[in-house]
Structure formats: C-alpha cells, structure tokens
C-alpha cells in the first residue's frame, strides 16, 4: 500500500516537470543608451549651465581680448619680473603666459612676507602660442607678490599678464563646469582622455587643508608631453588651484599625479570647458578618422 502511494506521488511530480513553456515575458530592465558613457569624455555639456564659453558662443577670441585689453610684460630668458598686490580685497589673481610659438619654461611663485612662498609652480609648454598657460592663484590676506622667472634661454622670451581675478572671473567659470571630483591618493595618478571636439579643459585641484603637491601633464600620443605643470601649495583648501588647459587636435589626455606621500590625498576635478567643431585645428598628423 505504501509502495503504491509513493509511486503515485512520483508520477505526479514527473508530470509537473513537463509543463508546456509559456510565451516569454518582456524584461522590464532596458539599456538606456542615452546614459551610456565611454572612457572618453564625450559628455561635453557639463555643469549646471554647461561651459560658459560654449553656451555663450564664445571662442578663443575671448582669451585674445584679455591680451588686447591688458599690457603684457616681456620676460626675457633668465630674467625675473614681479607683480605686487597690496589690496587685501584681492583674493585671487589670474596668470597668463604665452610665447610666439617657441617653448615656454618658467617658474611662478607667490610671495607673502619675507621668505614665505605658499604657492609655486614650474610650467613647461611645448608651444606657447598654441597652448597659452592660463591659471588662477589664490592670494588671501594680502599683500602678495607674484614672481615669474623665465628659466629658458635668452632666445626664448615670454609674455606675461598678471591681473586680479574677480568674483565672476576665470575661477568662477571653471567652478561652474565642475560636475564631480575624485580623490587621488598620495603617489597615485589619474588619466582623463577627451573627445577631439573639446578645445580646452578645466582643472581644479584642492585638499582638505593639507599641502598640495601634484604634477599635471597634457599628453598627445605616447609619452609626448605638450604641457607640464609641477605644483605646490601649502594649503590646498585655502589656496586651491584652477587652470585652463588648451587641447587642440585629437588624442589629448590629461594626467594628474599626486606626488605627495600617501598621507596627503588631493581632490581633482577635470572637465571639458570649451567645445568647438575642430574647424581651426592644425594638421598635427594625429587626426584619426578625419577625411583628408
């Protein structure tokens, strides 16, 4: 009797195993291609209002207007020039450096009191006309003096403009396109490849109040440095670093290296600043996929 009952249950279980398959139900999970981002920064409309120059229709002429409306100072190779700001209301200054197409090699320092250098940079640009150096230095609690030394040879002069940065100036424009920041531990590095349509990149480096030591490189091709900035700031919260890096052509990668020990992390924000169609690119031989 028990054997017959067990046999009947086994038969029912086997019958349930051979149920006719039903029509497949459409999955509710879908791949939103509009939210897909590759490793290349193709999301160029960044920030709450997008890039200020891109949205307002600005071009490289905006930077040219600064040079036209200012009085550039020629710094010959091996010489030093200083700009003093006694007004304590000036909390940041904009530093612009360029050449006539020759390499640019300079030391930029901020002096505050005797033997006190809270901020200093070593700047190298392969072509100072194609990639103008453009950065903002924090100058809280004046008076302050900005010193620029051309460490190149006598045959490599440079033009310099140092002027106060207003509340709605370059630093505010860079902050408006910053969408996110990431932590770079001491001794680590991060790379940021960009789409060829990106003409310039906004960079913000800061800390939580600790010293900031970093190296910023613009690469175009394997180990081909187009621009290098070696940066030191005694307080990355009080004196954050803002810069615009020109990225003409294709294959541009920004690399940020935290050269400090592991106890000194930094926070980096690297985003597209100005976006164009690439119409005025020089033929650099790196335009992969471009119709010739």
């Amino acid at each position: 009797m028990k054997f017959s009952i067990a046999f009947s249950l086994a038969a029912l279980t086997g019958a349930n195993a051979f149920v006719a398959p039903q029509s497949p139900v459409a999955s509710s999970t879908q791949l939103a291609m509009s939210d897909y981002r590759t490793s290349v920064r193709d999301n160029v409309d960044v920030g709450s209002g997008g890039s200020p120059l891109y949205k307002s229709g600005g071009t490289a002429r905006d930077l040219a207007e600064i040079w036209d409306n200012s009085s550039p100072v020629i710094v010959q190779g091996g010489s030093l020039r200083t700009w003093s700001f006694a007004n304590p209301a000036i909390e940041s200054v904009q530093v612009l450096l360029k050449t006539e197409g020759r390499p640019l090699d300079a030391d930029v320092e901020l002096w505050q009191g005797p033997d006190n250098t809270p901020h200093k940079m070593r700047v190298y640009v392969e072509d100072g006309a194609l990639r103008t150096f453009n950065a903002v230095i924090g100058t809280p609690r004046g008076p302050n003096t900005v010193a620029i030394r051309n460490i190149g040879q006598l045959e490599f002069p440079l033009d310099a403009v140092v002027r106060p940065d207003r509340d709605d100036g370059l630093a505010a424009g860079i902050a408006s396109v910053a969408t996110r920041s990431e932590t770079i531990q001491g001794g680590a590095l991060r790379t940021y490849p960009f789409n060829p349509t990106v003409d310039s990149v906004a960079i913000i480096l800061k800390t939580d109040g600790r010293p900031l030591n970093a190296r910023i490189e613009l690469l175009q091709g394997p180990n081909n440095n187009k621009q290098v900035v070696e940066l030191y700031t005694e307080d990355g919260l009080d004196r954050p670093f803002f810069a615009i890096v020109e990225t003409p052509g294709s294959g541009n990668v920004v690399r940020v290296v935290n050269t400090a020990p592991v106890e000194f992390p930094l926070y980096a924000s690297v985003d597209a600043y100005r976006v164009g169609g690439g119409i005025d690119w020089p033929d650099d031989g790196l335009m992969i996929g471009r119709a010739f």
Side-chain angles (χ1 to χ4, degrees):
M1 183 66 181
K2 294 181 179 180
F3 177 77
S4 61
I5 294 174
F7 181 78
S8 300
L9 291 175
L12 292 174
T13 305
N16 292 333
F18 295 98
V19 178
Q22 300 177 358
S23 60
V25 180
S27 175
S28 59
T29 303
Q30 297 180 356
L31 180 61
M33 293 303 295
S34 59
D35 296 334
Y36 181 77
R37 294 286 179 268
T38 63
S39 60
V40 177
R41 294 300 183 86
D42 51 2
N43 183 18
V44 295
D45 189 12
V46 295
S48 58
S51 172
L53 293 181
Y54 174 65
K55 287 297 183 181
S56 62
T59 62
R61 291 191 301 270
D62 298 310
L63 188 59
E65 290 177 359
I66 297 178
W67 291 98
D68 294 338
N69 298 330
S70 305
S71 298
V73 176
I74 299 177
V75 184
Q76 300 291 342
S79 62
L80 171 70
R81 293 291 183 272
T82 59
W83 290 258
S84 297
F85 301 91
N87 188 353
I90 301 176
E91 296 185 351
S92 60
V93 296
Q94 182 179 6
V95 178
L96 298 100
L97 304 176
K98 73 172 184 178
T99 67
E100 296 180 352
R102 304 181 183 184
L104 188 155
D105 201 357
D107 280 335
V108 181
E109 296 182 349
L110 175 66
W111 298 343
Q112 190 178 49
D115 297 329
N116 182 23
T117 308
H119 187 118
K120 57 183 177 181
M121 294 181 291
R122 171 73 181 270
V123 180
Y124 167 78
V125 183
E126 182 186 68
D127 187 339
L130 184 62
R131 300 175 180 86
T132 300
F133 177 75
N134 191 2
V136 174
I137 297 177
T139 57
R141 299 175 301 277
N144 295 275
T145 298
V146 176
I148 298 178
R149 182 186 301 274
N150 186 348
I151 58 178
Q153 300 297 324
L154 183 64
E155 297 83 5
F156 301 98
L158 62 87
D159 295 335
V161 169
V162 181
R163 64 173 196 165
D165 188 61
R166 299 173 297 180
D167 294 338
D168 58 348
L170 179 65
I174 295 175
S176 68
V177 304
T179 58
R180 56 194 175 277
S181 64
E182 59 179 335
T183 303
I184 303 178
Q185 301 293 340
L189 63 88
R190 293 290 185 275
T191 57
Y192 305 86
F194 283 91
N195 195 292
T197 58
V198 177
D199 291 337
S200 60
V201 174
I203 299 175
I204 302 177
L205 299 182
K206 62 181 180 180
T207 66
D208 56 359
R210 308 180 195 188
L212 171 62
N213 288 272
R215 177 183 173 96
I216 304 171
E217 301 175 353
L218 174 63
L219 305 174
Q220 196 175 36
N223 297 322
N224 186 10
N225 287 327
K226 298 296 184 180
Q227 182 170 338
V228 179
V229 178
E230 295 180 354
L231 171 68
Y232 164 76
T233 301
E234 70 173 7
D235 188 337
L237 182 62
D238 195 24
R239 305 174 190 273
F241 178 71
F242 298 84
I244 297 293
V245 176
E246 302 293 331
T247 57
S250 65
N252 291 288
V253 177
V254 175
R255 180 164 61 188
V256 180
V257 184
N258 187 347
T259 57
V262 70
E263 297 84 4
F264 300 92
L266 64 86
Y267 307 102
S269 175
V270 182
D271 289 284
Y273 184 72
R274 180 165 55 87
V275 181
I279 300 175
D280 55 348
W281 291 338
D283 187 3
D284 52 9
L286 296 175
M287 302 302 296
I288 302 176
R290 179 181 176 187
F292 290 95

